[in-house]
Amino acid sequence: MQRRPEPELMTEAEQARAYAQADSSEPNALFIRLLDALKPGELTGTRALDLGCGPADITLRFLKAYPQAECDALDGSAAMLGEARRALDERPGLARRCRLVRDVLPSTRIPQSAYDLVLSNSLLHHLHDPQVLWQSIRTAAKPGASVLVMDLMRPPSAMWAESLVVAYAADAPEVLRKDFRNSLFAAFEPQEVVAQLKQAGLSELEVGVVSDRHLAVQGRLG
């Protein structure tokens, strides 16, 4: 199935609110399990970067799982960061270790070679040029930093995509069903991501299929 890009930013307040209120506990818990499998340790004093943080659920889960770490969370959507700020305000103990950054990639607002860990969930498929993400990771990460990127993967057919919408979003609001369908069409196949990493000089990172609709890129930078 040919890729069909979608808008890079989710800018509408209704769209952001529906996304923030959606039950993403299953894939987001998977993300944290994948991070734990990298055996990062306690991450004492670690500075992490969450690219495309959206409503900051992954950021909050990370900060809860690793109480000795700090995280900068970047997103280009003011509506999404508004949802993130509300979520952080409800958890002041975690919020003290988080800095929200509104910017798009490539960003001049995040320091270079500063992060021990770079995270990203569900950003890659939004980008018209995927190299923007991979080069941003190269620029922001310290040598030897850990990287975990999880995203949807494009199914082989429109019928397959529709079956995933039915399976995972049948009871969701129409705006979420539409966004999920569009995101499946906009996502990349695993072999495409392998080629992207080779082009970016990040071949040390591994690409794997981690669910019936997700792939993950993980490893340590050389």
Side-chain angles (χ1 to χ4, degrees):
M1 185 171 72
Q2 187 173 1
R3 183 182 187 235
R4 188 172 69 197
E6 63 176 347
E8 292 197 335
L9 296 178
M10 300 174 74
T11 58
E12 299 297 326
E14 177 189 4
Q15 188 181 33
R17 190 173 304 111
Y19 189 86
Q21 293 174 352
D23 182 6
S24 300
S25 55
E26 182 252 333
N28 290 358
L30 171 61
F31 187 96
I32 298 300
R33 291 198 302 273
L34 291 172
L35 177 58
D36 184 60
L38 286 176
K39 300 187 183 304
E42 294 184 358
L43 299 183
T44 302
T46 290
R47 190 176 186 187
L49 174 64
D50 184 0
L51 295 173
C53 68
D57 187 67
I58 290 291
T59 307
L60 288 165
R61 287 172 182 266
F62 166 75
L63 292 170
K64 183 178 180 180
Y66 298 97
Q68 305 302 320
E70 298 181 352
C71 188
D72 291 349
L74 178 144
D75 203 281
S77 167
M80 278 295 187
L81 286 184
E83 298 296 331
R85 173 49 62 195
R86 276 187 279 275
L88 286 166
D89 287 345
E90 294 175 359
R91 301 164 180 84
L94 301 180
R96 285 193 292 270
R97 293 185 282 122
C98 179
R99 180 174 74 101
L100 295 180
V101 181
R102 184 186 174 191
D103 204 3
V104 296
L105 300 180
S107 173
T108 59
R109 299 193 60 200
I110 52 177
Q112 298 183 10
S113 302
Y115 296 96
D116 308 283
L117 174 65
V118 182
L119 310 172
S120 182
N121 181 53
S122 297
L123 171 63
L124 180 61
H125 70 269
H126 283 287
L127 300 175
H128 296 174
D129 178 9
Q131 286 302 316
V132 171
L133 174 60
W134 305 124
Q135 295 302 330
S136 294
I137 290 173
R138 281 178 59 95
T139 300
K142 293 179 179 178
S146 296
V147 174
L148 175 58
V149 174
M150 194 171 92
D151 207 277
L152 293 171
M153 61 180 177
R154 193 168 75 252
S157 68
M159 185 178 296
W160 196 313
E162 197 59 37
S163 71
L164 291 171
V165 173
V166 171
Y168 294 105
D171 297 326
E174 174 57 28
V175 63
L176 287 183
R177 290 197 300 274
K178 179 181 177 181
D179 282 344
F180 183 40
R181 184 181 296 108
N182 290 342
S183 292
L184 289 168
F185 276 87
F188 294 98
E189 297 176 343
Q191 63 268 28
E192 293 172 331
V193 177
V194 171
Q196 293 166 16
L197 294 172
K198 183 177 180 180
Q199 181 183 345
L202 295 173
S203 294
E204 66 267 40
L205 300 180
E206 297 183 355
V207 181
V209 174
V210 295
S211 85
D212 60 351
R213 62 202 187 281
H214 295 100
L215 57 80
V217 178
Q218 52 196 319
R220 294 183 185 274
L221 300 183

